[in-house]
Amino acid sequence: ILTTLVKGICKPVTCKIRILPSVEDTVNLVKRIEKTGIAAIAVHGRKKEERPQHPVHCDVIKAISEAVSIPVIANGGSHDFIKEYTDIETFQKATAASSVMIARAAMWNPSIFRKEGLFSLKEVMQDYIKYVLRYDNHYTNTKYCLCQMLREQLETTQGKKLHAAQSTQEICEVFEMADFFEETTAIFEAKKTSLETETQGEDDQMEDPDVIKMAVRFDKRDYPPQITPKMYLLEWCRKEKHPQPVYETVQRPLDRLFCSVVTVAEQKYRSTLWDKSKKLAEQAAAIVCLRTLGVPEGKLCEGENHLINKRKREDLECLNNRDHREDPAEPSHKKANFIEENSDMNVPKM
C-alpha cells in the first residue's frame, strides 16, 4: 500500500505505527517501511494491547530513530511526560525523534503549545465555549471536550453539573457564561431574521402570478437510467416546433437550496419545493411543465418508454455502422455514452 501511494501521488506519504513485542521486530518493520519511500514515520510508543495508563516505551522509539534516516515522529508521551510546553522537548530528547505528536495533552489543555506557559483551565474552557457559540458546535461534542479538560474534576459540583447538562445553554450556565450565551444568541437571531427577510424577498420574486406551480420533486429511482424529465420536455418542444426550454435557477442564502423556473412556449413553470442542487431543481420544474401539459415524463410506471426504444435503435445502428468501418486499432469494448447538455444540442447523444 505504501509503495503504491508513494509512486502514485506527488505529495509526501507518511504512516503511523505502534511498536511490536520486541525491539528487533519493530526496527525490522520500520526499515521495511522506510524502503517503500515514505517521507516520515510516526511511532506510538506502546504495543497494540497497551492503554494510556501503561508507560510509553521511549527506548523503542529511540532505537527506531537511530535505525532509520527518515524523520521519526514520537507519540504517546501525554500521560508520562507532557504537562507543559517545555516537556515536549524533554520527550523529544528521550526518544531522539525529529518531532513530537501530541493528542491527549492538547485535548486536556490546548495552551500546552504556549511557550510562555499554560493558561488556567477555567480560562481555556471559557475561551473554548466562546468558539462553540460562535460556530454553533453541537452540545454533545462540546460536553465531551469539556469533560476531557476537567478530567479528575468531574466529581466536583461543577463536573457533575456539566455531566447533567443537556444543551449549550445549560453548559454556559455551568461555567457562569449565561450572559454571553444570551448576547451571542441575540446576535445570531438578528442575523437569521435578516437572512430570512432576504429569502422572503427572493421567494416574492419567485411568486410570479403567471408561473404555474406544483409541489413535486425529482427522484431518479422513478425513472430509467439516463432518462430524465428534462430530456422528455426538450423532445416535446422540438416535436411541437417550440424553442428549447429555458431554465432560470436561484439559490437561497439561508439554507443554500435551489429553485428553478422553466419557460416553455412563453409559459413559466416551477415546483414550490426547494432542492439541494441546481440539477434537481431543474428536473422538478420540467416535471411541473410536463404534468401540466399532460405529456409523459418518462417514469417507469408509465409503461413502454419511447426514448429508451429510440436509444436502443440508435445504439444498434451505431454498432452496425462501426462493425462495417471499425478501425482495427479502436478498442472493441468502447460503447456509446449518452450525455445531457444545456446547449442547443441538449438531446440524447452518442
Side-chain angles (χ1 to χ4, degrees), residues 195-207:
L195 285 171
E196 287 175 345
T197 302
E198 293 178 15
T199 300
Q200 185 60 50
E202 291 176 359
D203 286 343
D204 291 342
Q205 293 177 17
M206 299 292 287
E207 291 300 324

Side-chain angles (χ1 to χ4, degrees), residues 191-192 194-203 250-258 274:
K191 289 182 178 180
K192 182 179 178 181
S194 175
L195 285 171
E196 287 175 345
T197 302
E198 293 178 15
T199 300
Q200 185 60 50
E202 291 176 359
D203 286 343
V250 297
Q251 183 182 31
R252 290 194 305 211
L254 182 62
D255 52 18
R256 303 185 67 81
L257 295 178
F258 294 84
W274 292 68

Side-chain angles (χ1 to χ4, degrees), residues 121-249:
L121 194 57
K122 179 180 179 180
E123 190 175 359
V124 169
M125 289 191 292
Q126 287 183 336
D127 281 346
Y128 171 67
I129 291 171
K130 290 178 181 178
Y131 282 108
V132 163
L133 290 172
R134 288 172 184 155
Y135 296 100
D136 196 24
N137 194 46
H138 196 275
Y139 89 90
T140 55
N141 177 258
T142 302
K143 182 175 171 179
Y144 172 81
C145 292
L146 290 170
C147 285
Q148 293 296 313
M149 294 180 194
L150 279 178
R151 298 172 66 201
E152 64 272 4
Q153 299 179 40
L154 282 173
E155 294 304 316
T156 63
T157 301
Q158 186 182 49
K160 290 178 180 178
K161 287 182 179 179
L162 173 62
H163 190 69
Q166 294 298 312
S167 67
T168 300
Q169 182 175 1
E170 291 181 10
I171 291 173
C172 289
E173 291 171 356
V174 172
F175 292 93
E176 302 174 353
M177 297 182 66
D179 291 343
F180 184 81
F181 174 84
E182 292 178 4
E183 293 170 6
T184 307
T185 302
I187 293 171
F188 277 115
E189 285 298 323
K191 289 182 178 180
K192 182 179 178 181
T193 301
S194 175
L195 285 171
E196 287 175 345
T197 302
E198 293 178 15
T199 300
Q200 185 60 50
E202 291 176 359
D203 286 343
D204 291 342
Q205 293 177 17
M206 299 292 287
E207 291 300 324
D208 187 335
D210 295 329
V211 177
I212 296 176
K213 297 180 284 292
M214 195 180 299
V216 298
R217 286 195 197 282
F218 170 70
D219 189 338
K220 65 179 181 181
R221 294 172 295 184
D222 295 335
Y223 299 83
Q226 299 178 334
I227 300 296
T228 67
K230 284 183 67 176
M231 296 167 63
Y232 262 81
L233 182 57
L234 179 62
E235 183 172 311
W236 182 85
C237 287
R238 288 183 169 168
K239 181 180 177 181
E240 299 296 322
K241 309 299 184 187
H242 293 308
Q244 73 175 34
V246 176
Y247 295 88
E248 298 174 82
T249 307

Side-chain angles (χ1 to χ4, degrees), residues 111-124:
S111 65
I112 191 75
F113 300 106
R114 188 171 180 267
K115 293 181 180 181
E116 296 79 10
L118 293 169
F119 283 123
S120 70
L121 194 57
K122 179 180 179 180
E123 190 175 359
V124 169

Side-chain angles (χ1 to χ4, degrees), residues 284-301:
I287 292 172
V288 174
C289 179
L290 291 166
R291 291 183 184 179
T292 302
L293 296 171
V295 177
E297 60 192 74
K299 295 184 73 172
L300 291 168
C301 61

